[in-house]
Amino acid sequence: MNTLGGIDLPEGLVWSESGQAQGRRTALRTALDGTPVVFAGAAPQRVTLTSGDDHGWFDEVTAAALLDLAESSPTAVLVWADPLRPTATRAAAFDHESAPAVQMEPLWPGCAVYTGRIALILID
């Protein structure tokens, strides 16, 4: 079972970046003489957990718990296993930088079942 901060995550949730190399960050600058200069360094590993119209639905209690966790705690422990990663326990920070760290939407207005997105940055 996959969990975030002790909250059970639904089956079918997808780690969007699974199978992507994210280990380096680069920046390209041009020197005064026109020579390209590349700066490279370690990049934080971003994790986006998503559900869709046909997979990974959140019930109302889980959706509310995840929203509360993102608002009250900067970090949480992610326990995750998928075919490309053995089960691992990782410290993660909620990624509030580019969008809401946790976003939930009902399948239809008034529905108690939600699709959603959880944005994290691994910090270990």
Side-chain angles (χ1 to χ4, degrees):
M1 170 71 45
N2 296 327
T3 64
L4 178 62
I7 300 167
D8 290 339
L9 298 173
E11 294 293 324
L13 205 58
V14 175
W15 182 327
S16 299
E17 296 85 3
S18 183
Q20 296 179 10
Q22 300 183 53
R24 306 293 290 169
R25 175 180 289 170
T26 59
L28 174 65
R29 301 290 185 260
T30 304
L32 292 175
D33 65 359
T35 306
V37 178
V38 177
F39 299 94
Q45 184 175 3
R46 298 193 184 276
V47 173
T48 308
L49 304 176
T50 59
S51 65
D53 290 340
D54 59 354
H55 66 279
W57 295 345
F58 296 89
D59 61 42
E60 196 166 30
V61 172
T62 303
L66 289 166
L67 287 165
D68 288 343
L69 182 64
E71 291 174 357
S72 65
S73 177
T75 62
V77 174
L78 174 66
V79 178
W80 188 268
D82 69 25
L84 295 177
R85 293 176 174 80
T87 300
T89 301
R90 308 281 304 270
F94 288 98
D95 185 2
H96 295 280
E97 183 179 26
S98 59
V102 176
Q103 182 177 6
M104 297 288 163
E105 298 177 20
L107 281 175
W108 57 83
C111 181
V113 176
Y114 296 80
T115 60
R117 177 184 149 283
I118 304 168
L120 304 166
I121 300 170
L122 298 182
I123 55 176
D124 62 346

